Amino acid sequence: MKKINYIVLLLLLLVGTSDVLKANETSSQVSASTETAESKGDVNVNELVFGHIGDAYEWHVITLGDKALSIPLPVIVYSSTGWHVFSSARLEEGPYEGLYIAQEGPYEGKLVERNTAGEEIRPFDISITKNVMGLFINSALLLVVLMSCVRWYKKHPVESGAPRGGVGMMEAMILMIYEDVIQKCIGPDYKRYAPYLLTVFFFILINNLMGLVPFFPGGANVTGNIAVTFVLATCTFIMTNVFGSKEYWKEILWPEVPLWLKVPVPMMPVIELFGIFTKPFALMIRLFANIMAGHAAILSLVAIIFITVKVGPVINGSMTAVAVAFGIFMDALEVLVAFIQAYVFTMLSAVFIGLSRVKEHE
């Protein structure tokens, strides 16, 4: 019980520190990237929010005075002049080897070059951006956590008793997903899908939680990136349809409905085929929208502090207290959302896979 209290206390300290650090970072972004807005006495909240949760070619760590401390990341592109591999720090002084980061337009924030007509075009870009680096770090952290559990089980036989602490928590989560979600939703053939679904759950969970950590190596908006959720949904789509039973495809292509709903116009087969794609699409949008909305809400609350600066110290001070209080509440809520979204994605994936394993009706 004391350990649980310590964990709750550390959690509250983390979310409180999160608002302070996010406020500091937001303040630095106001002074560094919104000069036009400052000249008019306004703060561009839209630019601040989406600039923070968006991807970047460098990892901003902290701002000390007027100097921003960032970690440059590798740029790897194939342009009209061939392959280019260099550090993103080269782009701070302007175009490098004909490549630069677009400041506006459809490619804003992306690496571009100019063609012979002077138009901005996108090269083939496989750079290690902030989200990609965050993906590597979070995956490595997940491996460390799981391998530490494996090491504990190797050293402690079953007769020694149940594990405690972090290993015990991991065992409880694994059993919850394995028995209450995978086994019940899929049915007799659940074991072949358990490795994938357990991997998906912990992968989404670690990325959701690390996205709430306000300092390096946390803060990357990995699961709030639609490209990441698209790949996760595509994996579920493949597991559902490639390994679906014959009865599953029979119910899609020739469902048991009145004949006039199938011929001459295949109304029901078309609807069923459409449903194959809407299920993973819903998975993709649900995870992406919930995580991105949480980050945007917290940053918007922090931005209130700087929006009300010119109103006066009384209003600014009161709104600062309100913003910090609501920010701490939203941070604590996002910890719960991080788990819920990982659980929902895994549960719905298990349900879709279970529906594809339907047996022939007697």
Side-chain angles (χ1 to χ4, degrees):
M1 195 66 187
K2 290 182 178 180
K3 291 183 178 180
I4 296 176
N5 292 333
Y6 291 151
I7 293 173
V8 173
L9 178 60
L10 288 173
L11 178 61
L12 292 176
L13 288 174
L14 175 63
V15 297
T17 306
S18 171
D19 283 298
V20 175
L21 292 177
K22 285 176 181 175
N24 180 42
E25 183 174 353
T26 306
S27 177
S28 66
Q29 291 178 350
V30 171
S31 59
S33 62
T34 57
E35 296 179 358
T36 305
E38 283 184 352
S39 63
K40 297 180 181 180
D42 298 325
V43 175
N44 192 335
V45 179
N46 185 62
E47 182 178 348
L48 289 178
V49 172
F50 288 97
H52 177 81
I53 63 178
D55 206 358
Y57 290 93
E58 61 180 10
W59 196 313
H60 179 269
V61 179
I62 194 172
T63 299
L64 300 174
D66 296 332
K67 186 176 181 181
L69 177 61
S70 301
I71 300 175
L73 300 173
V75 175
I76 308 172
V77 297
Y78 181 79
S79 67
S80 57
T81 55
W83 284 99
H84 301 269
V85 181
F86 54 89
S87 171
S88 61
R90 302 276 189 176
L91 300 171
E92 294 180 359
E93 300 177 356
Y96 181 77
E97 296 182 355
L99 301 167
Y100 62 95
I101 298 177
Q103 301 300 319
E104 56 183 4
Y107 303 131
E108 182 179 359
K110 302 297 183 181
L111 206 63
V112 296
E113 63 175 341
R114 292 193 179 274
N115 57 15
T116 54
E119 301 172 337
E120 289 185 344
I121 58 173
R122 284 275 289 150
F124 178 68
D125 192 350
I126 54 173
S127 302
I128 308 298
T129 60
K130 179 181 177 180
N131 284 343
V132 176
M133 182 59 68
L135 191 63
F136 291 159
I137 293 173
N138 299 343
S139 299
L141 178 61
L142 180 59
L143 285 175
V144 170
V145 172
L146 294 178
M147 292 309 295
S148 63
C149 296
V150 172
R151 190 180 302 109
W152 188 93
Y153 282 105
K154 285 184 176 181
K155 295 181 178 179
H156 298 79
V158 179
E159 296 79 11
S160 62
R164 299 180 180 179
V167 179
M169 182 183 67
M170 289 294 295
E171 180 180 311
M173 294 178 67
I174 291 172
L175 289 176
M176 177 191 66
I177 299 300
Y178 187 78
E179 296 178 355
D180 297 341
V181 176
I182 300 175
Q183 187 174 353
K184 291 184 178 180
C185 292
I186 296 181
D189 198 22
Y190 69 95
K191 289 185 178 180
R192 65 186 299 187
Y193 300 101
Y196 165 70
L197 293 171
L198 284 170
T199 302
V200 165
F201 173 77
F202 285 104
F203 175 81
I204 296 175
L205 180 61
I206 192 69
N207 281 286
N208 288 351
L209 293 176
M210 287 296 289
L212 297 176
V213 178
F215 47 82
F216 181 83
N221 188 31
V222 177
T223 43
N225 188 315
I226 198 168
V228 175
T229 60
F230 171 78
V231 173
L232 291 172
T234 301
C235 291
T236 297
F237 174 81
I238 294 173
M239 298 292 287
T240 302
N241 296 285
V242 172
F243 303 104
S245 63
K246 293 181 179 180
E247 185 66 22
Y248 167 72
W249 284 106
K250 179 183 176 182
E251 290 182 355
I252 291 175
L253 300 177
W254 196 257
E256 295 183 1
V257 294
L259 187 63
W260 63 272
L261 292 174
K262 295 181 286 189
V263 290
V265 179
M267 182 184 300
M268 288 304 299
V270 169
I271 294 175
E272 292 292 339
L273 284 172
F274 184 73
I276 291 177
F277 298 96
T278 56
K279 292 174 183 176
F281 180 79
L283 287 178
M284 175 186 71
I285 296 299
R286 179 184 289 106
L287 179 59
F288 158 72
N290 278 280
I291 301 303
M292 189 188 70
H295 284 262
I298 294 173
L299 290 168
S300 299
L301 287 171
V302 175
I304 293 176
I305 301 172
F306 307 98
I307 294 174
T308 57
V309 167
K310 287 200 170 186
V311 180
V314 177
I315 296 179
N316 180 242
S318 59
M319 293 305 297
T320 297
V322 172
V324 170
F326 275 95
I328 293 175
F329 170 76
M330 286 298 299
D331 272 329
L333 182 63
E334 283 301 304
V335 174
L336 178 62
V337 170
F339 174 81
I340 291 175
Q341 290 305 315
Y343 181 87
V344 169
F345 191 100
T346 307
M347 181 188 67
L348 290 179
S349 296
V351 170
F352 297 155
I353 292 173
L355 293 174
S356 71
R357 303 300 301 167
V358 62
K359 296 182 178 180
E360 184 176 359
H361 300 294
E362 295 182 1

